[in-house]
């Protein structure tokens, strides 16, 4: 018997061989591009902590959306940055508010060529930066927030969103939004539930991206990074409430959670998404800018790892660029 008896290296000896036996592949259609649209600007504004990402005008937003379509990107997720904020986040409900206008603009640009999604949360719209409205003593009021979320769902559906993405981690949010959209005749608008969303330090750059007014943290509503089992509870509640897709967020520090969620979602027959968030983006960009890692290879490997762990689709700020590389056959 020859030694070694097994030579796994045989399947690694050429690019063609490795390609043949690769268990996971990257495809543009599995990527979702998060984008920011800001009110009251005439040129795109760079986000310092996210090199290469900008706050768009309505105009450049349209262009980014049509570029994503050309590259075969699967979805686009919109975040809005309003000019004025108040305690109730009322600009979120205004059909002429920045996000609802952005949804209409993108939808009229791309039609059904890409899945148009919108962030359904109050944090960009409130003057205190929390994801919900506050009680008199400053706590986030779960049930009062739900009422507004339901109205936001209807407003975004009417603006043309194919799916809404509730990201505020209020208990019962999926059920209330589903009911409100159904009552408004919007049965066909889907819900991508931020089911297992952790209270993460890696959201830092996003706070700059949306000019967040938050002081303090979101630990009373977002999940504790220490917890694993609880993610399955959150996912099963959201599915019972009518979520069409479930998401884990952040991605890279939570690949174990993603694996668990992928397995339980498989049993329930629903697709799983993961959000490679702003801090994950910033870390790779910063290390690459210093010449410490090979940028493109690190980007591709990071997204591949998220797919391999169990995500069917990945929200990533590199979606368009990565889609281009994939089309060019680089990854
Ligand atoms: C809340 C929301 C956040 C992100 C997406 N939706 C911020 C938060 O929860 O504090 C973070 C995304 C990222 O960091 O890339 N609307």
């Amino acid at each position: 018997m020859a030694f070694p008896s097994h030579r796994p290296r045989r399947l690694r000896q050429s690019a063609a061989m490795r390609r043949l036996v690769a268990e996971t592949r990257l495809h543009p259609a599995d990527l979702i591009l998060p984008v920011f649209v800001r009110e009251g600007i005439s040129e795109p504004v760079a986000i310092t902590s996210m090199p290469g990402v900008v706050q768009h005008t309505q105009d450049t937003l349209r262009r980014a959306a049509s570029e994503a379509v050309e590259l075969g990107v699967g979805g686009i997720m919109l975040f809005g940055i309003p000019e004025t904020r108040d305690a109730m986040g009322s600009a979120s409900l205004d059909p002429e508010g920045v996000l609802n206008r952005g949804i209409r603009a993108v939808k009229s640009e791309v039609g059904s060529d890409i899945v148009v999604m919108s962030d359904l949360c109050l944090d960009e719209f409130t003057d205190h930066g929390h994801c919900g409205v506050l009680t008199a003593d400053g706590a986030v009021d779960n049930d009062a927030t739900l009422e507004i979320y339901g109205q936001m769902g209807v407003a975004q559906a009417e603006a043309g969103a194919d799916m809404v993405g509730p990201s505020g981690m209020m208990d019962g949010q999926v059920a209330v939004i589903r009911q409100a959209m159904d009552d408004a005749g919007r049965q066909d608008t889907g819900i991508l539930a931020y089911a297992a969303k952790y209270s993460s330090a890696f959201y830092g750059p996003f706070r700059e991206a949306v000019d967040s007014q938050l002081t303090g943290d979101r630990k009373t509503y977002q999940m504790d990074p220490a917890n694993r089992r609880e993610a399955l509870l959150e996912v099963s509640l959201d599915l019972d409430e009518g979520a069409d897709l479930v998401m884990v967020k952040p991605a890279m520090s939570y690949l174990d959670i993603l694996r668990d969620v992928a397995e339980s979602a498989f049993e329930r027959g629903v697709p799983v998404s993961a959000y490679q968030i702003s801090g994950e983006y910033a870390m790779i960009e910063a290390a690459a800018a210093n010449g410490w890692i090979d940028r493109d290879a690190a980007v591709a490997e990071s997204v591949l790892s998220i797919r391999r762990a169990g995500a069917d689709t990945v929200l990533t700020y590199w979606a368009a660029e990565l889609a281009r590389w994939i089309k060019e056959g680089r990854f």
Side-chain angles (χ1 to χ4, degrees):
M1 183 62 160
F3 178 83
S5 62
H6 286 87
R7 292 187 182 272
R9 288 186 54 194
R10 278 192 204 111
L11 297 183
R12 301 176 195 146
Q13 60 190 309
S14 67
M17 191 71 87
R18 292 190 294 274
R19 186 181 58 188
L20 181 72
V21 301
E23 297 174 39
T24 312
R25 292 178 208 285
L26 294 173
H27 193 284
D30 298 327
L31 305 175
I32 300 168
L33 177 68
V35 287
F36 303 100
V37 57
R38 178 170 162 187
E39 192 170 40
I41 53 170
S42 50
E43 292 295 321
V45 176
I47 301 163
T48 323
S49 53
M50 300 177 74
V53 180
V54 300
Q55 297 171 331
H56 283 290
T57 67
Q58 296 284 344
D59 232 43
T60 65
L61 173 69
R62 281 173 181 265
R63 261 179 275 154
S66 68
E67 187 200 17
V69 170
E70 279 157 33
L71 292 166
V73 171
I76 187 166
M77 170 70 82
L78 274 66
F79 293 89
I81 305 136
E83 225 168 357
T84 50
R85 300 178 158 99
D86 60 25
M88 304 295 286
S90 25
S92 66
L93 299 179
D94 182 354
E96 289 306 314
V98 62
L99 180 54
N100 296 325
R101 282 188 57 203
I103 296 167
R104 277 204 306 279
V106 166
K107 199 62 191 170
S108 77
E109 185 76 25
V110 303
S112 313
D113 293 342
I114 190 170
V115 180
V116 177
M117 310 174 178
S118 49
D119 185 55
L120 198 167
C121 192
L122 280 176
D123 66 313
E124 292 95 352
F125 297 97
T126 53
D127 55 12
H128 46 72
H130 274 295
C131 295
V133 294
L134 306 181
T135 62
D137 51 14
V140 174
D141 188 336
N142 192 87
D143 296 15
T145 300
L146 291 183
E147 217 165 294
I148 303 175
Y149 280 5
Q151 296 170 37
M152 274 183 92
V154 173
Q156 295 183 357
E158 283 174 354
D162 298 311
M163 298 195 99
V164 298
S167 65
M169 289 300 280
M170 296 301 125
D171 293 334
Q173 62 186 13
V174 172
V176 169
I177 293 164
R178 182 70 274 154
Q179 187 69 53
M181 294 197 304
D182 285 356
D183 290 348
R186 298 287 170 178
Q187 290 84 355
D188 292 337
T189 307
I191 299 180
L192 164 54
Y194 286 62
K197 177 173 178 182
Y198 286 84
S199 176
S200 173
F202 296 104
Y203 299 144
F206 179 91
R207 306 264 164 97
E208 181 199 341
V210 300
D211 184 26
S212 174
Q213 306 299 302
L214 185 70
T215 52
D217 58 56
R218 307 197 196 286
K219 290 182 180 163
T220 65
Y221 44 106
Q222 297 180 344
M223 287 179 63
D224 185 338
N227 295 354
R228 178 175 165 199
R229 278 191 302 255
E230 193 188 356
L232 295 178
L233 170 64
E234 286 284 3
V235 164
S236 96
L237 290 172
D238 281 3
L239 289 174
D240 290 346
E241 291 179 24
D244 299 289
L245 262 160
V246 288
M247 188 209 291
V248 174
K249 178 183 176 187
M252 278 177 81
S253 296
Y254 297 84
L255 294 180
D256 56 332
I257 309 297
L258 181 53
R259 184 72 238 155
D260 286 349
V261 168
E263 274 161 26
S264 88
F266 186 82
E267 310 265 300
R268 301 277 299 251
V270 293
V272 174
S273 202
Y275 197 145
Q276 184 179 47
I277 58 157
S278 59
E280 301 177 52
Y281 178 90
M283 287 191 293
I284 290 177
E285 289 289 345
N290 276 293
W292 295 338
I293 54 174
D294 173 345
R295 177 179 181 270
D296 300 0
V299 168
E301 182 181 331
S302 69
V303 177
L304 189 72
S305 76
I306 296 165
R307 290 268 299 112
R308 189 196 61 229
D312 300 297
T313 54
V314 183
L315 288 100
T316 173
Y317 297 98
W318 288 298
E321 195 177 5
L322 183 53
R324 189 183 305 280
W325 300 341
I326 296 166
K327 285 200 146 182
E328 290 167 357
R330 286 185 54 203
F331 293 104

